[in-house]
Amino acid sequence: MKVTFRGVRGSIPCPGPETVRYGGNTTCLEVRFTKPDRLVIIDAGSGIRALGNHLMRHDLARGLRQVDLFLTHTHWDHILGLPFFVPMYVPGMTIRIHGPATFEDDSLEKVIRGQFEYKYFPVRVEELACTIRYVELGEGVLDLGDGIRLCTKYLNHPVGCLGYRFEHQGKSLATVFDTEPFQNLFALDPSDPDFDPAIAREGEQAAAEQNRLVERFYAGADLVVHDAQYTLEEYLTNRIGWGHSAMEEVIEAAGQNQVQNLALSHHDPDRTDAQLDALAAMLCTPGAGKATNAFFAREGMEIEL
Amino acid sequence: MDESSQADEAAVRRIEGYISKMPSLSVTVTRVLEICNSPATSAHDLNRVISLDPVLMGRVLRLINSAYYGLRDKVASLPRAMIMLGMNTVKNLVLSSAVLTAMAGKKQAQGLCMERFWLHCLCTGVTAKWLARAKDAPRERLEDFFVGGLLHDLGKIPLNDLFPNEYQRLLAATARDGLSLHRLEQGTLGVDHAQVGGMIARKWQLGREQEDCLAHHHDPPGAGPEHALVVSVVALANQLAQGFGIGNAGDSAPDAQALRGLCESAGYADLDLEQLRTALVEEVDRARVFLQLKSGEKTGEGAP
């Protein structure tokens, strides 16, 4: 399994001299499986544009006719590159778009189609040359064929958002974005007028249980790509509930869960290269006793598992 | 045999279509919109308003039970669902249901009075929880009894909305002659609200226990033996709520003597009905204040 980071930024693309080394494109991961060759793309942030161009140059002639795209969720920064993904305009190409089911009227298909409405983009879905298939996912385990097993887990983000764990030939990749730890939303202070001991207890239990399940979901993976948009100080100051994690907490949890390699990703758009370098020097220094190799993901980075 | 196979097929198809876009109750809609449109909404406020509306409660439970494949048991706890789904997702879901209500307008005037229906649902939920506590049910199970009571009459909403003229006649006949509403529904529409409740519970994946509460609250022995307690408690709570005359969902109400008999046969001979009634009135008043309802029907007034 080979993973290439095509976009590592969160929220919005942010090209410029201060982000040129880590990259300004939003989330997109290219995952290649060998024996037999399979391509999986995770998320269609602005990074998917360059990946699409690469596929046209190198893979189309080799017989690429199908692309499996797994959307973690449908917030803008994870889908905005899709209209610029050139394989969508290739006759005979099939794009299978997998993503979390909404279980409401707004199906995955309806959400994606909305992006191609004439007012937002000049090409409508009906005019695309490729065939699009939509595969709605919930939590579960799927056999993708060719020995690839996929496990999915709901994360904590302000819309249905799935973590994906791919396992193939004894290696595993888990994506854990966009997410933050599940929180007890209910008052814990007995002096709070809203305090209800039964609800407070249940809230504590539910949050702890879900956090244990997320950790179990990625435990022991060879590579975990995790949301790490904020520092702990930023997170605690005023960003709880925004759906993103604090890098210090992510590193600690990965270490406790036998993660081999931890790619901190979904960088804040305001985070400069210099700041990421400084954070890496502070948080990711390889040291004795540290079982997890933690690093900040960079656009273009390739990791062979 | 599947109960719905006996029902009128065309009616069932219409009902199924309705269930997928069921609006919340008009009683809660103003407060729902206010809470969901406020950036400063607390989880407690959202929890409270959902707890007061059987449709909203059902829809949130439906989402949690659909989405989380790995659940060993269906989730019937609203606080748990809110934490697993997140505030924004729940807000958005609740808002979409309220918007359907706002679009539907006030056409319910013909059949059930929605404010009285709402009062009945709330009182049945509160009473079921009260009865469960009196039987020393485990604390973590009390909410299941409340939810069963709150949701038990959900099946009336599609019937009332889809067949307003027929339903109005059935309600009038029940009130006039003291006949059983669900038998009249069966005779006229080919389907009764308990069956429709069962359809809703299955479609919304509320779990077998809630399905039994909705489908068997007029027929507790028909429920699975593992749910006998909760269904019998909801059935009794339904009768008590009607007997107290707080709210009304169209059924004929038992008199005081009949109520006492029902309590005794269900093992609640020592139940202090006056104390329960006082607690219900207080709970309903609190709900009214929370929902900022104008003083409409007086809470403590007698039969419909």
Side-chain angles (χ1 to χ4, degrees), chain A residues 180-181 183 230-246 249:
Chain A
E180 70 179 296
Q183 315 276 345
Y230 305 130
T231 65
L232 186 57
E233 187 186 357
E234 290 164 348
Y235 179 68
L236 294 176
T237 302
N238 60 358
R239 290 169 173 85
I240 293 175
W242 291 18
H244 300 290
S245 298
E249 291 185 335

Side-chain angles (χ1 to χ4, degrees), chain B residues 220-267:
Chain B
E226 66 276 32
H227 309 136
L229 176 65
V230 66
V231 177
S232 63
V233 161
V234 167
L236 178 59
N238 178 33
Q239 296 290 332
L240 285 167
Q242 286 165 184
F244 288 141
I246 309 173
N248 177 259
D251 294 289
S252 52
D255 60 23
Q257 194 182 350
L259 265 189
R260 180 53 65 196
L262 285 167
C263 290
E264 282 172 10
S265 61

Side-chain angles (χ1 to χ4, degrees), chain A residues 3 12 34 86 98 109 127 134 161 177 227 231 259 273 275 291:
Chain A
V3 180
I12 192 166
T34 49
V86 177
H98 312 250
E109 177 173 357
E127 295 171 318
Y134 296 91
C161 180
F177 53 80
D227 184 326
T231 65
V259 169
D273 288 337
Q275 288 170 338

